Amino acid sequence: MQINETTNDGLKRAYSVTIPASEIEAAITAEIKKIAPQVRMPGFRPGKVPANLVRKMHGDSIHAQVVNDTIKDAVDSLMRDKKLRPAMQPQIELGEGYDQGKDAELSVSLEVLPDLEAPATDGIKLERLTVPVADSEVDESLEKIASQQKSWKDAAKTKKAADGDQLIIDFVGKLDGVEFEGGKAEEAPLVIGSGQFIPGFEEQLTGAKAGDEKTITVTFPEDYPAEHLAGKETTFDVKVHKVQVEDETKIDEDFAKSLGLESLEQLRGLLKGQVEQELNGLTRTAMKRQLLDQLAAGHDFPVPPSMVDAEFEQIWQQLMQEAAREEDPKAAMEEIESEKDDYRKIAERRVRLGLLLSEIGQANGVQITQQEMSMLMQQAAQQYRPEDRDRFMELIRTNDMAAAQLRAPLYEDKVVDFLFEKAEITDREVTREELQAAIEADEDEAAKPAAKKKAPAKKAPAKKAAAKADDAEADDKAEAKPAAKKAPAKKAPAKKAATKADDKAEAKPAAKKAPAKKPAAKKAPAKK
């Protein structure tokens, strides 16, 4: 194999590689010899088919496979011989006019990672902002849970159902006068105005009283999962057992026991632990920002443009999604378009920090253990349908880039923790508001890579999306695996770090009981 370097410009490299026809032919001959014992052909005993007939039968497919394998081996050899560390997958082209019996002429182009010395890990000074858990925060969490655990009491029998009231009903659905499967329930709860049931169902029960029986007519949506009901007009015979109104939820021992706990004290302890965990996460975020800012300030070196492009594209897609959700999407899009260069600088900073953390990790023996990797794979596989999980696991085992993508966030966290252990850390007690302000100040500071900036107050929420990504800027490149991307969950575009836990808590009520209780057993949406 002959290798000639054709480009050496900064981080760009290009090579011409010649693979002799004799080498390809030798590999084909070896492959034919290898498979010949398994070839079956009428008139020949198993394993006795002549090689020339095997070549005639399978030559084209064997040649194609051998050329692919030979090219892969040649590129791997090039990377080893030239000690190249590709930033992204190399671009490989087979010369035009190649045919069997000719030398294979390849062109290989790539960007390489810069040669870096691992930054020193001594002399790092960080301030850890801590927030004691106040009883008022525990009380607030308790009240939030209580507001989500609605309780109901029976109203007077003369009470007419209104929005927000709950009915206890029996219903039987009929299509063309015949009951249909899944359209029947007994003593089912239905909150008027909740949108639990198909359009028109709840509205026709407004004003109903306990003991009422009525037949209502509704039309199923055109996109209803049950095809035999989609777009069809149906009737429901409804009997109202009770009209209930919301009752005040008392936060007491009985309330705690209704949640499966032994006492109110135990519930308060659990909530205090959750608040502590949230505050510790914010404390870590603030300290990590300080660490990354120090690394960024102390190092400036060229980074592979392809890595910056990939990172910028991820940021840009995120920004466009955020802009689409703004009250004025057009204005939001115009604003981020005007700051496109700034976002590219943010992407460049993130790539640079990723490479720095990678070098620190490798120089200091930071590793992901096989057990940790197995846990990551199992956790990630749960995001897929059961029938797709095996394919996902196989992809991670066989694709280095996919494995790096999965491993990257944990690797980065381990490198950051390693640096925390080396740093000189001073503690300062602050309020939650002060901690939040410190994080937001870091976000705004990290979002100023260019001198020309607008006032932060004028930024659309999308602006903080990109800045916020500096919270874990390097995970994409941890372990020097350029294609590794951060998990979307870690980039929570327009949400501030301080509100993440509350957002999750408020999202819980969205897990409606509706699918199991909707007329016609509207179960399909639950599988989306």
Side-chain angles (χ1 to χ4, degrees):
M1 182 174 71
Q2 183 179 351
I3 299 173
N4 291 314
E5 186 177 69
T6 57
T7 300
N8 189 329
D9 181 13
L11 299 177
K12 294 182 178 180
R13 302 287 186 275
Y15 301 87
S16 64
V17 179
T18 302
I19 304 173
S22 57
E23 184 177 328
I24 297 173
E25 178 59 30
I28 292 173
T29 301
E31 185 65 18
I32 290 173
K33 184 177 180 181
K34 177 181 176 182
I35 70 170
Q38 286 81 44
V39 175
R40 299 291 184 267
M41 184 179 290
F44 294 92
R45 288 180 294 166
K48 299 299 182 180
V49 180
N52 63 322
L53 290 181
V54 175
R55 182 185 289 266
K56 185 174 182 180
M57 290 175 59
H58 304 288
D60 288 344
S61 60
I62 292 174
H63 172 252
Q65 184 60 49
V66 165
V67 169
N68 284 335
D69 292 345
T70 303
I71 289 174
K72 180 180 182 302
D73 292 342
V75 174
D76 288 345
S77 179
L78 168 66
M79 298 301 155
R80 287 194 305 271
D81 294 347
K82 299 295 184 180
K83 295 182 173 58
L84 300 175
R85 296 194 303 161
M88 303 287 276
Q89 288 283 12
Q91 294 182 346
I92 305 165
E93 293 184 3
L94 179 61
E96 293 184 7
Y98 170 75
D99 201 356
Q100 189 167 351
K102 294 182 177 180
D103 292 348
E105 301 285 348
L106 307 179
S107 61
V108 181
S109 58
L110 69 155
E111 289 176 350
V112 297
L113 296 173
D115 291 326
L116 302 176
E117 290 187 10
T121 59
D122 54 352
I124 299 174
K125 295 182 179 181
L126 302 172
E127 184 178 50
R128 180 164 47 209
L129 305 180
T130 61
V131 180
V133 179
D135 288 341
S136 59
E137 290 209 62
V138 179
D139 293 339
E140 185 179 339
S141 297
L142 266 175
E143 290 169 4
K144 183 176 292 186
I145 292 177
S147 69
Q148 296 167 1
Q149 302 291 325
K150 287 187 177 180
S151 60
W152 303 90
K153 63 181 179 180
D154 295 344
K157 291 187 177 182
T158 56
K159 160 75 172 167
K160 294 182 178 181
D163 274 359
D165 293 339
Q166 178 168 271
L167 302 182
I168 304 299
I169 59 175
D170 296 342
F171 60 80
V172 178
K174 297 178 181 179
L175 176 63
D176 297 329
V178 180
E179 289 186 29
F180 55 82
E181 184 181 356
K184 182 177 182 179
E186 294 181 354
E187 296 192 356
L190 170 62
V191 177
I192 301 296
S194 66
Q196 263 185 296
F197 287 6
I198 61 175
F201 191 99
E202 297 167 18
E203 291 83 347
Q204 295 181 62
L205 292 178
T206 301
K209 303 188 300 295
D212 284 358
E213 295 186 22
K214 61 189 305 183
T215 298
I216 62 176
T217 300
V218 294
T219 300
F220 278 83
E222 294 289 344
D223 59 352
Y224 195 73
E227 293 182 5
H228 67 292
L229 295 173
K232 299 293 179 63
E233 184 177 272
T234 59
T235 61
F236 283 88
D237 296 332
V238 181
K239 180 177 181 179
V240 180
H241 291 290
K242 299 177 182 179
V243 176
Q244 298 180 320
V245 294
E246 190 173 348
D247 194 13
E248 181 182 356
T249 301
K250 294 182 180 179
I251 301 175
D252 53 17
E253 296 293 328
D254 289 337
F255 175 68
K257 290 176 181 178
S258 72
L259 299 175
L261 301 174
E262 295 179 358
S263 64
L264 182 58
E265 182 181 359
Q266 184 185 19
L267 175 57
R268 290 187 65 89
L270 289 174
L271 291 176
K272 182 177 181 180
Q274 290 178 1
V275 175
E276 284 178 341
Q277 186 175 15
E278 177 197 349
L279 293 172
N280 289 341
L282 297 181
T283 294
R284 188 180 193 280
T285 294
M287 196 160 65
K288 183 175 179 180
R289 295 272 172 79
Q290 296 174 46
L291 173 66
L292 296 179
D293 286 345
Q294 288 186 35
L295 286 175
H299 300 85
D300 187 15
F301 52 85
V303 294
S306 59
M307 292 178 72
V308 176
D309 290 343
E311 189 61 44
F312 172 77
E313 183 61 25
Q314 187 174 0
I315 292 173
W316 196 248
Q317 290 299 321
Q318 183 180 322
L319 290 168
M320 288 194 294
Q321 291 172 11
E322 285 298 308
R325 291 194 288 268
E326 290 292 313
E327 186 175 340
D328 187 345
K330 184 179 178 181
M333 196 62 217
E334 288 175 353
E335 181 168 5
I336 63 174
E337 281 282 0
S338 69
E339 298 170 341
K340 202 166 187 175
D341 290 344
D342 297 343
Y343 294 120
R344 182 167 290 279
K345 290 181 181 297
I346 290 172
E348 182 178 329
R349 166 188 158 100
R350 290 171 60 180
V351 170
R352 184 173 290 110
L353 282 167
L355 295 175
L356 286 169
L357 287 181
S358 171
E359 291 297 328
I360 292 171
Q362 293 181 25
N364 292 278
V366 178
Q367 295 181 345
I368 300 294
T369 66
Q370 188 58 48
Q371 183 179 6
E372 289 171 332
M373 190 62 188
S374 295
M375 290 180 64
L376 286 175
M377 292 170 64
Q378 291 168 11
Q379 291 169 359
Q382 298 306 310
Q383 302 172 20
Y384 298 89
R385 297 178 301 177
E387 58 268 30
D388 294 331
R389 289 171 188 169
D390 287 343
R391 283 192 296 168
F392 168 77
M393 299 288 273
E394 183 63 21
L395 172 68
I396 299 300
R397 292 189 191 99
T398 58
N399 187 302
D400 289 343
M401 290 295 185
Q405 178 176 351
L406 180 64
R407 185 171 49 233
L410 177 59
Y411 187 82
E412 180 212 339
D413 281 342
K414 294 187 76 168
V415 175
V416 168
D417 287 338
F418 167 79
L419 291 174
F420 283 167
E421 291 175 2
K422 296 288 185 180
E424 179 184 330
I425 298 175
T426 56
D427 290 298
R428 179 161 66 92
E429 189 174 295
V430 296
T431 64
R432 176 190 279 269
E433 291 71 23
E434 289 171 331
L435 178 55
Q436 289 174 348
I439 291 173
E440 290 175 20
D442 285 340
E443 286 174 352
D444 289 338
E445 188 62 31
K448 294 179 181 177
K452 203 166 127 187
K453 278 288 183 188
K454 296 182 182 179
K458 295 182 181 178
K459 303 291 180 193
K463 180 64 185 179
K464 280 200 176 177
K468 184 158 181 53
D470 279 4
D471 173 57
E473 323 195 26
D475 54 8
D476 299 8
K477 279 66 61 180
E479 289 187 291
K481 298 292 186 181
K485 296 292 181 192
K486 181 161 58 175
K490 291 185 76 174
K491 291 194 175 179
K495 296 186 184 291
K496 295 178 182 177
T499 62
K500 282 185 180 176
D502 288 342
D503 292 339
K504 290 180 181 177
E506 291 169 3
K508 287 186 178 179
K512 293 183 181 177
K513 303 174 183 176
K517 297 182 179 177
K518 287 191 178 183
K522 193 173 181 181
K523 295 178 182 177
K527 296 179 181 179
K528 288 181 181 178

